[in-house]
Amino acid sequence: MASFVEAAVSIAREAGNLLRYHFERRVAFELKSAFDLVTEADRASEKLVVERLGQLFPSHSVVAEEGTGQERGSEYRWYVDPLDGTTNFAHGYPVWNVTLALEKNGELLAGVIFDPTRDELFAAEKGSGAYLNGARMSVSKIARVEDGLFSTGFPNWNRSENPNILFFHQFAMASHGVRRSGSAAIDLSGVASGRLEGFWEIGLNPWDLAAGKLLVEEAGGVCTDMDGQPHHMKSPHILVDNGLIHEEMIQFFSEISQGRLRYPLPALSQAKSQV
Ligand code: IPD
Ligand code: CA
Ligand code: CA
């Protein structure tokens, strides 16, 4: 019998190949709410993942974004994002993935992110490290925000009440930059693989972050909420980073939250080119 992580890898590869098939043919999208997109690819991928999990682990609970998972009262629970980065996918922008993770009584045991467009398979098992295409990964060694590259994201719901643009601006000014990939799992895998020093987001769901959180921790990084408190699946915000930069990030978030901005917002009239 395959281990949990081996099963997750095989399911993610199968679902990722199905997603690539749809991506190459361009699929139409529908709106779940004002700016929240869903495509037939999300549904087809979820059907496949939920079916495979049901065949392999019929007693396990499954929480899947498009709502076809089942609560079975098990101590084991899978979190499934059948397509993370749907907005990118629907526009033909090649930054998306499929991700799934398993927790037992609240502890993450296994997590996988498969990015078919770059053929990158990220996998982690509790206590056994984190791997990219079979090679061990570790977080970066950069120890100062001013030397770092970061990423963040903005949920598709409640957009007007999300204060993240302030954090985005302050960190962008204080560092080498802040990326917004449109896929939380890709962002999290970026921290785990040392390509980014840190990532944060306000309002993510468990299926977006479960695998990436384990990847970061197994790669030697840390995960808390943006106040530095322990992160759990229902926390309103998440911060992951390489650990070395953690205290500085928390301190900076705290200042920004209190309205103490290091960098004032510029006016458009100040804009000029370099030459
Ligand atoms: C979204 C992406 C995006 C993040 C949003 C998520 P979806 O997931 O991960 O980067 O900023 O908060 O909802 O809807 O494409 O699965
Ligand atoms: Ca997602
Ligand atoms: Ca999704």
Side-chain angles (χ1 to χ4, degrees):
M1 166 98 181
S3 70
F4 291 134
V5 74
E6 283 165 353
V9 163
S10 144
I11 295 171
R13 282 203 184 278
E14 203 185 343
N17 291 335
L18 178 70
L19 289 169
R20 182 162 41 202
Y21 171 86
H22 285 280
F23 187 69
E24 282 162 4
R25 280 152 193 81
R26 296 297 296 270
V27 287
F29 63 83
E30 296 156 41
L31 290 171
K32 287 197 271 191
S33 58
F35 294 97
D36 198 3
L37 281 55
V38 64
T39 72
E40 64 178 283
D42 296 69
R43 296 196 179 105
S45 173
E46 180 159 312
K47 183 166 183 292
L48 188 152
V49 176
V50 170
E51 259 174 35
R52 294 287 178 271
L53 289 174
Q55 287 157 356
L56 290 168
F57 310 110
S59 63
H60 290 189
S61 295
V62 177
V63 178
E65 181 175 9
E66 306 311 330
T68 64
Q70 264 189 43
E71 178 53 61
R72 298 193 172 100
S74 167
E75 56 187 352
Y76 290 98
R77 174 173 291 111
W78 290 89
Y79 291 105
V80 178
D81 192 339
L83 170 51
D84 180 53
T86 295
T87 305
N88 291 343
F89 188 97
H91 286 266
Y93 187 72
V95 182
W96 46 269
N97 64 91
V98 51
T99 178
L100 65 159
L102 174 65
E103 75 170 21
K104 183 183 180 191
N105 295 327
E107 184 188 34
L108 288 164
L109 296 185
V112 170
I113 297 170
F114 180 43
D115 169 358
T117 56
R118 268 158 284 276
D119 196 22
E120 290 192 330
L121 189 289
F122 300 88
E125 196 173 15
K126 180 84 191 164
S128 301
Y131 295 82
L132 164 54
N133 291 344
R136 186 98 187 227
M137 298 189 292
S138 58
V139 293
S140 80
K141 296 197 164 37
I142 289 176
R144 298 188 310 177
V145 166
E146 68 177 281
D147 300 323
L149 183 64
F150 299 87
S151 68
T152 188
F154 297 82
N156 303 320
W157 47 278
N158 223 9
R159 302 202 307 180
S160 58
E161 283 165 36
N162 193 311
N164 196 24
I165 198 69
L166 263 185
F167 298 101
F168 184 99
H169 174 248
Q170 294 297 301
F171 267 86
M173 296 301 295
S175 69
H176 286 187
V178 181
R179 302 291 176 254
R180 192 287 193 250
S181 76
S183 159
I186 300 268
D187 293 331
L188 288 154
S189 71
V191 177
S193 57
R195 295 168 178 171
L196 299 168
E197 279 53 65
F199 162 77
W200 71 90
E201 187 163 337
I202 301 165
L204 277 182
N205 287 300
W207 48 78
D208 299 306
L209 62 87
K213 174 178 174 175
L214 182 63
L215 279 158
V216 169
E217 288 175 343
E218 286 297 318
V222 297
C223 177
T224 65
D225 71 13
M226 289 166 67
D227 298 325
Q229 299 305 309
H231 178 270
H232 51 81
M233 286 302 170
K234 294 200 172 121
S235 294
H237 33 77
I238 183 172
L239 163 64
V240 297
D241 60 69
N242 67 9
L244 300 173
I245 222 160
H246 192 66
E247 287 312 317
E248 193 185 346
M249 289 190 77
I250 301 276
Q251 173 60 33
F252 200 12
F253 285 134
S254 162
E255 277 178 38
I256 300 165
S257 303
Q258 292 166 44
R260 290 191 276 129
L261 304 186
R262 295 186 196 172
Y263 307 94
L265 289 166
L268 187 58
S269 57
Q270 289 171 262
K272 12 177 163 22
S273 68
Q274 205 173 19
V275 284

